Amino acid sequence: MDFSPRLSLPYLAPQQAQKHVTVNESLRRLDALVQLRVASRSLAAEPAALGDGDAYIIPAGASGATWSGFQAGAIAVFQDGAWIEIAPEEGYFAYVADEGAFARYSSGAWSAFSGGASEMAPQFGVNTTADATNRLAVKSDAAYFGHDDLTPGSGDHRLKINKSGPAKTASLLFQSAASGRAEIGLAGDDNLQVKVSPDGVAWTTGVCVSNATGRVGIGTNAPSDKLHASGGNIRTTNLNASSPRFVAEASDISGQVYLGWDNGAIAQIGTTSAHAMRVMISSNERARFYTDGGVTIGSPTGGSKGAGTLNAVAVYDDNALLSCYVFDAALDGAVDLAKWDAKAPGGVHGGARKFSARAAGAQDPLTLDGYAAHWREKRHLSSLPNEARFDPAADKLSTGEWIQRLVETVEIQAVLIERLNQRLKRVEAGCA
């Protein structure tokens, strides 16, 4: 072997004459390659004004009497009035003066490498290999970014993720087995979004904060209010120990707080400045619940009547049925059940049937003796409930049922009064 394997330095031969020539050749080569510095790697025209030891990296398409014959990427060194060509080896480093940066020879080409004044590297890997897409790649159990306490700095620390325009993406992507599962950032627009995916392909926006208004959307990319939830229920569970609650709070006692439905225009429920709760439909108050426990419906006079009371403009109950069958029995001698069943919801008029069942019996409600016999034995009027029905824990009567039974009672008593009146008239006529 006549040359060294890496730098191709010529060896001295045994009994060689003029050994200084060989030694000087090796020194010149070392002088060129050790702490390699080149003037440029982009200059294509062979320069005319030269200094001994000037070096260049030959670019593609170089011209000149000597350079045109050199290989692209070779190191051209001007020594002793002539150019010499040195073929670089994998991993050579050179400082490029006109770039103020280091270059590295790898895979048959020179590329910029950190170490110059700009501290710029095309890609960098920590415990892994970076690539053209992931130019900075790190494999580690953790990564730490801290404030500058050496210079020292301001004590702040900010991680900046920049994109070129609104339609682009600047985000943090969280993956599972290299497949996306969650993303936080500016994804396709300039609103802050939190997105999730079951497979890295289909994505759903969970939260969106409008960059223009600061409004927060849940399930919507276009929040129309300070907090806008769309597409499902909002549930609070096991908050405040075991008593979940949703709290909407006004700034002071004079404020009003409302929950709205159907775009906030159709129905609302909330508190007034007097801390009464109001139910509103189409901006009109329908009911109010007072702090003293009273309730009003509509706009009745007098407001709250106190705890446990209901004050309404009117009360309607579809269980209130006509009871004029009493007069049918008094005038016609019988009740047409088919007629009265047709007037009742469900096709059965219970009041008329119970009344008819007692007719012509010992407790006939339209005879003075029969009517009295019933209340003496039963201890209640025939049309009204007995004591068991007054038990709050037992079967309760609706307002409509009470009205129907009371009207029936009045009608029965009206018939009995008239029959007593006729009897008194006959007695008076006999006496006369």
Side-chain angles (χ1 to χ4, degrees), residues 338-424:
K339 165 190 169 182
W340 291 100
D341 282 344
K343 297 179 181 296
V348 176
H349 198 303
R353 289 179 173 276
K354 290 179 180 179
F355 176 85
S356 296
R358 296 194 300 270
Q363 297 178 347
D364 188 336
L366 293 187
T367 65
L368 291 170
D369 291 338
Y371 192 68
H374 182 278
W375 63 256
R376 285 193 179 99
E377 177 184 347
K378 306 293 185 181
R379 293 181 178 270
H380 68 91
L381 296 180
S382 61
S383 301
L384 299 180
N386 57 29
E387 293 181 15
R389 299 298 297 275
F390 284 101
D391 184 355
D395 186 20
K396 303 175 182 64
L397 294 177
S398 70
T399 302
E401 289 177 299
W402 274 107
I403 293 172
Q404 188 267 326
R405 288 168 178 264
L406 287 171
V407 172
E408 180 183 302
T409 298
V410 171
E411 291 177 348
I412 290 172
Q413 291 178 352
V415 172
L416 295 178
I417 289 171
E418 174 56 19
R419 288 183 174 177
L420 181 58
N421 179 49
Q422 294 301 323
R423 181 182 296 181
L424 290 175

Side-chain angles (χ1 to χ4, degrees), residues 187-214:
D189 56 35
D190 281 347
N191 298 321
L192 176 63
Q193 298 187 45
V194 178
K195 305 171 71 175
V196 293
S197 173
D199 54 13
V201 177
W203 290 85
T204 301
T205 299
V207 179
C208 176
V209 182
S210 170
N211 71 308
T213 64

Side-chain angles (χ1 to χ4, degrees), residues 159-191:
L159 181 65
K160 299 179 181 179
I161 303 176
N162 184 59
K163 61 178 183 173
S164 62
K168 302 299 183 180
T169 294
S171 67
L172 297 177
L173 178 64
F174 301 91
Q175 296 182 318
S176 177
S179 177
R181 291 295 181 269
E183 187 172 14
I184 301 174
L186 312 181
D189 56 35
D190 281 347
N191 298 321

Side-chain angles (χ1 to χ4, degrees), residues 211-381:
N211 71 308
T213 64
R215 294 171 175 173
V216 179
I218 300 176
T220 175
N221 289 334
S224 60
D225 217 321
K226 290 293 185 181
L227 177 62
H228 179 185
S230 176
N233 299 327
I234 298 178
R235 178 176 299 180
T236 60
T237 303
N238 295 331
L239 302 179
N240 189 21
S242 60
S243 302
R245 66 177 65 180
F246 178 81
V247 178
E249 183 177 336
S251 59
D252 54 54
I253 193 171
S254 64
Q256 301 186 28
V257 178
Y258 282 95
L259 300 178
W261 288 266
D262 198 0
N263 294 329
I266 304 303
Q268 293 178 319
I269 182 170
T271 61
T272 68
S273 58
H275 281 189
M277 186 174 75
R278 297 197 298 176
V279 177
M280 302 182 69
I281 307 295
S282 298
S283 300
N284 296 315
E285 182 176 317
R286 301 304 192 218
R288 182 178 295 200
F289 299 80
Y290 290 82
T291 55
D292 64 2
V295 178
T296 59
I297 298 177
S299 301
T301 58
S304 173
K305 301 301 181 181
T309 64
L310 176 66
N311 185 10
V313 174
V315 177
Y316 297 88
D317 192 318
D318 61 5
N319 287 326
L321 301 176
L322 286 174
S323 56
C324 299
Y325 47 80
V326 173
F327 299 126
D328 288 353
L331 298 174
D332 302 333
V335 176
D336 184 351
L337 293 179
K339 165 190 169 182
W340 291 100
D341 282 344
K343 297 179 181 296
V348 176
H349 198 303
R353 289 179 173 276
K354 290 179 180 179
F355 176 85
S356 296
R358 296 194 300 270
Q363 297 178 347
D364 188 336
L366 293 187
T367 65
L368 291 170
D369 291 338
Y371 192 68
H374 182 278
W375 63 256
R376 285 193 179 99
E377 177 184 347
K378 306 293 185 181
R379 293 181 178 270
H380 68 91
L381 296 180

Side-chain angles (χ1 to χ4, degrees), residues 1-5 7-13 16 19-30:
M1 180 182 292
D2 296 328
F3 296 92
S4 64
L7 299 181
S8 296
L9 302 177
Y11 289 144
L12 291 174
Q16 177 180 333
K19 295 180 176 59
H20 68 282
V21 175
T22 302
V23 172
N24 289 341
E25 175 66 23
S26 295
L27 291 176
R28 280 194 294 269
R29 196 172 184 89
L30 286 173

